[in-house]
Amino acid sequence: NGRFGACLMAEPELVAECIAAMQQVVNIPITVKSRIGIDDKDSYEELVNFISKVADGGCHTFILHARKAWLSGLSPKQNRDVPPLRYDVVQQIKQDFPHLEIIINGGISSLEQSVELMQGVDGVMIGREAYHNPYLLAEADRLIYQQDTLIKTREEVVFALLPYIQEQLAARVRLHIIARHILGLFHSVQGARAWRRHLSTYGPKAGADENVVLQALELVQG
Ligand SMILES: Cc1cc2nc3c(=O)[nH]c(=O)nc-3n(C[C@H](O)[C@H](O)[C@H](O)COP(=O)(O)O)c2cc1C
């Protein structure tokens, strides 16, 4: 009856119980993603109380979306933008819980910003920007993990995806199910619109196959 999502921040004991119960039956870590507060329960002390109790339940990793949520008054979509970002609160949590893994989330739009934010926490989670502009991640191995891997061009990414597309088509997955996740691949480069338009027009049609992707690529390359 609606007891899921951010409202659970008001019930740290219940969340701790859930974590403990889940952790008992799996051998992978159970992590928690939360806001930094909800409604009028948005003091730092309340956040500390939530994290302490849930950590006691057996959670070692917290992904904190660095803004509060207004459960009444704002839609889920508005709640992703309207409440101001408070990276400082998440960084303070890491200071106060150095033994926990604290991942910061919310409004992060570049790897440079990620590197900067990672000074004070253990990691970053990028949501919308990674979806709208996935090529942003091309340099992640180099910038975040200091790995000297070759950076694929956008075109090389498309070619690298082809075997997967073919495999999925053979398993009767529709092209669009895959193609819609690469609509943003050419974000901010010339031809981006033609790429998107071709994939969204022809991707959903019956019988669409990898040639639709290759045709879209030709449009970008002009
Ligand atoms: C369409 C959409 C659906 C989302 N659904 C969830 C969800 O079910 N659970 C959750 O914890 N966060 C959800 N989020 C929030 C994201 O995980 C993330 O916390 C938020 O978008 C802020 O990060 P960003 O600015 O990097 O996107 C959703 C975001 C979007 C755009």
Side-chain angles (χ1 to χ4, degrees):
N1 47 354
R3 285 168 82 198
F4 59 90
C7 69
L8 284 173
M9 284 196 80
E11 301 186 79
E13 293 83 4
L14 175 64
V15 177
E17 251 181 72
C18 293
I19 297 298
M22 285 188 269
Q23 198 60 84
Q24 264 187 2
V25 293
V26 296
N27 48 21
I28 52 171
I30 302 289
T31 64
V32 164
K33 176 156 174 288
S34 78
R35 298 291 183 125
I36 56 169
I38 45 167
D39 295 335
D40 56 351
K41 296 183 182 58
D42 64 348
S43 69
Y44 188 70
E45 289 65 36
E46 279 158 309
L47 179 58
V48 164
N49 179 49
F50 176 78
I51 293 195
S52 310
K53 291 207 167 118
V54 177
D56 287 346
C59 179
H60 175 71
T61 301
F62 289 81
I63 301 110
L64 297 177
H65 183 176
R67 47 165 69 92
K68 66 177 286 185
W70 287 103
L71 297 181
S72 45
L74 292 187
S75 69
K77 189 171 188 303
Q78 289 171 320
N79 259 318
R80 287 197 279 272
D81 285 312
V82 175
L85 284 163
R86 292 291 309 274
Y87 295 139
D88 58 313
V89 171
V90 179
Q91 285 159 338
Q92 189 60 48
I93 288 290
K94 177 62 191 175
Q95 298 260 311
D96 292 338
F97 296 89
H99 56 291
L100 295 179
E101 183 176 48
I102 303 295
I103 312 291
I104 197 164
N105 165 248
I108 302 168
S109 59
S110 73
L111 291 184
E112 289 71 21
Q113 188 188 3
S114 304
V115 168
E116 206 173 299
L117 281 170
M118 278 176 67
Q119 308 295 319
V121 294
D122 299 299
V124 301
M125 174 188 276
I126 302 179
R128 287 165 292 186
E129 190 64 21
Y131 193 72
H132 295 138
N133 177 20
Y135 196 70
L136 146 94
L137 299 174
E139 281 188 83
D141 286 349
R142 203 164 68 182
L143 276 174
I144 310 281
Y145 299 101
Q146 283 82 46
Q147 282 175 12
D148 204 11
T149 42
L150 208 64
I151 295 174
K152 286 188 167 63
T153 63
R154 291 174 170 85
E155 289 76 11
E156 285 168 340
V157 170
V158 173
F159 282 110
L161 191 61
L162 289 179
Y164 175 77
I165 292 178
Q166 286 160 341
E167 183 192 299
Q168 292 300 310
L169 290 174
R172 305 181 65 80
V173 172
R174 300 282 292 266
L175 179 70
H176 192 56
I177 301 298
I178 304 163
R180 65 190 174 140
H181 298 293
I182 51 170
L183 289 176
L185 184 59
F186 289 87
H187 181 82
S188 295
V189 301
Q190 210 179 353
R193 190 180 298 177
W195 163 263
R196 291 181 71 91
R197 192 185 297 149
H198 193 83
L199 287 185
S200 4
T201 308
Y202 298 101
K205 292 204 189 297
D209 61 15
E210 70 274 18
N211 286 313
V212 171
V213 178
L214 292 171
Q215 288 151 6
L217 190 58
E218 271 178 38
L219 292 174
V220 185
Q221 291 165 332

